[in-house]
Amino acid sequence: MDFTKRIYAFVTFLLCFTFILPQNVHGEEDKETEFRITILKTSGEPQVGMILKINGRSDKYLSNEQGVITFQYKIDKSYNRLANIYFPGDETKAATSFVLKETETSKTIYLDSQEDIASFKQNNKTVTIEGFVKDSSQKPIQGAIISIQGTGRKVLSDEIGLFRIEADYNHPITIRAERMENRSLNITTFLQHPDEPYTVIMYRKNSTRIYSVVEEMPEYPGGMKAFVNYLKRKLVYPPQAKKENLEGVVAVQFVVEKDGRITSPTVVRSLRADMDSAALTAIRNMPNWIPAREHGMRVRCKYSVPVQFKIERPKPAPKKTPLATDTIAAPKDSLGTDSLATDSLKKIVLPGDSLLKDSLRIKPDSLLQRGDSLLLRPDSLTALNDSLVVSNDSIAVQPTTDQPADKPKKRNIFVRFFRWLFGIKDQN
């Protein structure tokens, strides 16, 4: 009895787990989070008609007259979903993007269109910006001078490195500190993070630090395509390596100095000594590069490039396409003549009983064809009037001679004999 009760209780538990619990879980999964995104100009005016799209979804949400976009979205904790904001009429490039999080359901974003910026510049509109001035070790710098060039407006950073100043779109913002490299920024840099002060990092003058990754990496003048063209012109292929058909890539690392000079080139992936040496020579002789920048300041930066050795082989000559006139060939055993009379022969009988299409045929029951008579000889065939003469396997066209219609035609003795033998009467 106790065993039966235990089985009944276990079955009841399974039923509850199967039907009741999944409904609760399903209800939790279907719960959507409501977001409220406010989009404003830096002047505080609302941006109307802004478009918000979530990656992977086709829905669009527009900002109202207050610049507010409200929507609901179910957060999936297994991956992050990105929301993109576009200006009206331009959905090709997002003005800004952010990750949808349950902890950030309310957000204020400041965005200015090109028309807004042009208007701000024209009206010389000012915006209050805030920032911290710190050194490379994140230590606050007190007494740094922050000025708006060309306006006379300037302030000093306080004991925690904080400053606040009225800036505009027409003049750069300059930060100076003792024994530090000067920094020059524009207002957009500060407006990208309007909710918190922007941190400006200052570096000591004549700093020897070499960076590996910076905001703006160094670049060959004209880009990598121009660099490849430079190697094609200046890289000297070692004769022995070329003779041995040796090809490959040598990787060279070097330092781009603040003034763009190339220093300390070293081979980080080798082929063989003569090819490594040729690659280093080409790199040393390069023109100055565009230097790297970190926080708007020129810095020294390491950079690596591949130097490819590839033997240029001549391309095979393109096959000549024959012209139509080159493809015309005379038919085999054809008749070649320079010119033909108006009534020239068009029907030809070839030797060996071979006949062309529409050629002259001899009736099996008669050697005589009315009209132009045929005279048969052992070594030739002759047709009178527009006559055809075949002699020694040769064909020639002979001119015709006009004869009176009533003049009797001469008969060959052999023709007369055969006519007499077979009893053929002369109809003439």
Side-chain angles (χ1 to χ4, degrees), residues 88-150:
D90 183 11
E91 298 181 32
T92 58
K93 183 178 180 181
T96 189
S97 303
F98 61 93
V99 177
L100 296 174
K101 301 178 181 179
E102 288 181 326
T103 56
E104 297 180 6
T105 58
S106 182
K107 193 177 187 71
T108 300
I109 300 174
Y110 292 87
L111 292 174
D112 294 317
S113 65
Q114 295 297 326
E115 293 78 7
D116 296 331
I117 294 174
S119 176
F120 294 157
K121 288 182 177 180
Q122 183 178 1
N123 299 326
N124 200 28
K125 181 177 180 58
T126 61
V127 179
T128 302
I129 61 172
E130 291 183 326
F132 289 106
V133 182
K134 298 182 179 181
D135 61 18
S136 57
S137 62
Q138 296 293 319
K139 182 180 179 180
I141 299 176
Q142 183 178 4
I145 302 172
I146 299 91
S147 62
I148 309 300
Q149 289 187 9

Side-chain angles (χ1 to χ4, degrees), residues 343 371-373 383-388 398-403 409:
D343 296 330
D372 297 335
S373 60
L384 300 181
N385 293 337
D386 299 341
S387 61
L388 170 69
Q398 295 182 349
T400 62
T401 303
D402 295 336
Q403 297 180 1
K409 299 179 180 178

Side-chain angles (χ1 to χ4, degrees), residues 174-193:
T174 302
I175 300 98
R176 298 181 177 88
E178 189 176 357
R179 297 188 299 275
M180 297 291 179
E181 296 277 0
N182 294 341
R183 295 291 309 277
S184 182
L185 306 171
N186 57 50
I187 191 174
T188 306
T189 304
F190 292 88
L191 297 179
Q192 289 175 347
H193 307 278

Side-chain angles (χ1 to χ4, degrees), residues 225-424:
K225 185 176 181 180
F227 171 73
V228 172
N229 290 334
Y230 164 80
L231 289 180
K232 288 181 179 179
R233 298 192 312 269
K234 300 296 184 180
L235 181 62
V236 178
Y237 212 116
Q240 186 61 29
K242 194 170 186 178
K243 183 178 180 180
E244 297 175 5
N245 289 324
L246 182 60
E247 298 179 336
V249 175
V250 176
V252 180
Q253 186 180 80
F254 50 87
V255 175
V256 180
E257 300 291 343
K258 295 179 183 180
D259 58 1
R261 291 181 298 109
I262 304 301
T263 61
S264 307
T266 57
V267 174
V268 293
R269 190 174 72 182
S270 173
L271 278 178
R272 72 180 200 182
D274 55 349
M275 303 179 82
D276 295 348
S277 178
L280 289 173
T281 300
I283 295 301
R284 289 192 186 98
N285 295 332
M286 283 192 302
N288 288 358
W289 281 44
I290 300 172
R293 287 183 176 272
E294 178 73 359
H295 298 293
M297 185 181 66
R298 294 183 179 185
V299 295
R300 305 174 70 199
C301 185
K302 288 190 296 186
Y303 202 82
S304 298
V305 294
V307 179
Q308 185 177 29
F309 288 88
K310 185 176 182 180
I311 300 175
E312 295 292 337
R313 295 176 173 82
K315 297 181 180 179
K319 295 183 179 179
K320 182 180 178 181
T321 303
L323 299 177
T325 56
D326 296 335
T327 61
I328 300 177
K332 190 175 182 180
D333 296 334
S334 62
L335 174 65
T337 60
D338 293 335
S339 61
L340 297 175
T342 305
D343 296 330
S344 60
L345 180 66
K346 297 182 180 179
K347 298 182 179 181
I348 304 174
V349 181
L350 297 180
D353 295 334
S354 63
L355 299 176
L356 297 177
K357 186 178 181 181
D358 296 333
S359 63
L360 181 62
R361 303 179 183 272
I362 299 176
K363 299 180 180 180
D365 59 347
S366 176
L367 296 177
L368 176 64
Q369 180 174 346
R370 296 185 181 279
D372 297 335
S373 60
L374 302 177
L375 301 180
L376 179 62
R377 292 181 179 177
D379 58 348
S380 65
L381 176 64
T382 304
L384 300 181
N385 293 337
D386 299 341
S387 61
L388 170 69
V389 177
V390 179
S391 178
N392 296 330
D393 296 334
S394 63
I395 301 176
V397 178
Q398 295 182 349
T400 62
T401 303
D402 295 336
Q403 297 180 1
D406 56 350
K407 185 177 181 179
K409 299 179 180 178
K410 295 181 179 181
R411 302 295 184 184
N412 187 282
I413 187 171
F414 290 103
V415 175
R416 292 178 181 180
F417 174 76
F418 282 112
R419 293 179 65 83
W420 173 82
L421 180 64
F422 293 103
I424 299 173

Side-chain angles (χ1 to χ4, degrees), residues 48-51 60 62 86-93:
V48 181
M50 298 295 287
I51 303 168
K60 297 182 182 180
L62 304 180
Y86 305 87
F87 283 106
D90 183 11
E91 298 181 32
T92 58
K93 183 178 180 181

